[in-house]
Amino acid sequence: MDMYVKESSTSLTPREKLKLRGVRALSTNDLFSILIGTGSKGKNVYNTAREIARKIEMNNNIIDTQNLDKITGVGFVKSSRILAAVELGRRFYNDKGIKIKSATDIYKLLRSYGHKNQEYFITISIDGSHSMIKRRVLFIGTLNKSLVHPREVFHYALKDRAAALILVHNHPSNNVNPSNEDIDITKRLKEIGDLIGIDIIDHVIIGNNDFFSFCSSGLI
C-alpha cells in the first residue's frame, strides 16, 4: 500500500499526476516519492522525498549512498534506486553541450527556481563556443558577500576548464530587480574573473514569472 499523503482531498498523488499530465509536470519531490515508493514509521513518503532533495542540494548536487543512508527511512535499497535513476538519466540525457545564446535560455532552463522559498545561487560553466559544461547549486540562503565566496565560485570553473561563467540566483519575493548586494557581488566576481581569465558573461535573477539579466541591462 502506498503511503502518499495528499495535500487535500482533491490533490493528486505523484503517480496520478504522472499518468494524467506526464512526467514533466512532476516536481523534484514527486519524482523522489515515486522512486522510493513508501515512507517510514512516523514519516510519510513525501516528507522523506523532500528531505532527500534538500540533502542532495546541500551536498552540491552530489548523490551517493553514504549521504542518503543517513536519512531516516532511506536504506541501501531506496538509495540504490535513486542512484540507478540518476545514472540512467546521465547516460541518456546530459546538460553538456546545451547552447546558451541569451538570458532567455537560462530562464527556460532554471525557471523552476522561481518557485523556491529560499535563495539559490547557481553557476553555469560555459566553454568557448557558449555551450554548457556544468551547472551547480553552490549556495542556499540569503545572498551576501560572506556567503558567496569567490573561492568556491571559481574553484569549479577552473576544474571545468571553463571559458566563462554565468551566475544565476532566484528572488523568492518575485521582485527580480537586483539589490545593491547583488550588484556588489556581481562586480566583485567579475573583477576576479577578469584577473584569472574566466569571464562572467551574465548574472540572471529569476522570479516566478520573470527574470532580470545584468548583461541585457548593461550592468556587465
Side-chain angles (χ1 to χ4, degrees):
M1 178 178 177
D2 287 342
M3 296 174 64
Y4 290 107
V5 175
K6 298 182 179 182
E7 295 177 2
S8 70
S9 59
T10 59
S11 295
L12 297 174
T13 67
R15 286 176 181 163
E16 291 168 342
K17 194 186 299 183
L18 186 152
K19 185 176 181 179
L20 290 174
R21 303 175 185 170
V23 70
R24 290 185 179 274
L26 272 61
S27 69
T28 300
N29 292 343
D30 290 335
L31 294 170
F32 279 126
S33 294
I34 289 175
L35 280 174
I36 62 177
T38 60
S40 60
K41 186 176 181 180
K43 186 162 65 171
N44 66 59
V45 67
Y46 203 75
N47 287 336
T48 304
R50 187 183 295 113
E51 191 173 346
I52 291 169
R54 175 71 174 171
K55 186 79 170 179
I56 292 169
E57 288 172 344
M58 293 296 292
N59 199 38
N60 203 28
N61 287 346
I62 297 172
I63 303 176
D64 56 41
T65 55
Q66 184 177 1
N67 283 305
L68 294 179
D69 287 352
K70 295 176 183 177
I71 299 173
T72 303
V74 181
F76 180 73
V77 172
K78 290 179 179 178
S79 62
S80 295
R81 289 179 192 158
I82 294 170
L83 288 172
V86 170
E87 179 60 18
L88 283 170
R90 187 193 66 79
R91 294 184 185 187
F92 287 97
Y93 303 98
N94 199 321
D95 283 343
K96 191 172 183 179
I98 294 175
K99 288 283 188 182
I100 304 296
K101 299 178 180 178
S102 68
T104 301
D105 293 334
I106 298 298
Y107 178 62
K108 289 178 179 178
L109 189 68
L110 299 175
R111 66 188 306 167
S112 62
Y113 285 91
H115 301 281
K116 299 286 189 181
N117 293 323
Q118 285 184 282
E119 289 192 23
Y120 286 69
F121 183 84
I122 303 157
T123 60
I124 298 178
S125 302
I126 302 293
D127 66 19
S129 65
H130 278 225
S131 295
M132 184 189 302
I133 300 172
K134 187 80 174 179
R135 56 172 159 159
R136 294 180 173 89
V137 175
L138 288 192
F139 310 102
I140 302 174
T142 303
L143 260 62
N144 57 61
K145 292 178 182 177
S146 60
L147 179 65
V148 181
H149 200 286
R151 180 175 58 245
E152 277 69 41
V153 172
F154 289 104
H155 165 76
Y156 292 106
L158 291 167
K159 182 179 178 181
D160 293 340
R161 300 181 181 274
L165 272 181
I166 296 172
L167 313 176
V168 185
H169 81 281
N170 64 305
H171 277 183
S173 66
N174 288 326
N175 178 359
V176 296
N177 292 319
S179 66
N180 290 333
E181 191 79 16
D182 295 336
I183 294 170
D184 289 344
I185 289 169
T186 306
K187 181 180 178 181
R188 182 184 182 201
L189 293 175
K190 172 70 174 171
E191 290 172 349
I192 295 172
D194 289 343
L195 285 174
I196 64 177
I198 298 178
D199 190 22
I200 303 293
I201 60 176
D202 203 354
H203 186 170
V204 178
I205 300 173
I206 293 176
N208 196 351
N209 294 302
D210 200 5
F211 67 93
F212 179 94
S213 164
F214 276 65
C215 179
S216 299
S217 302
L219 294 179
I220 285 185

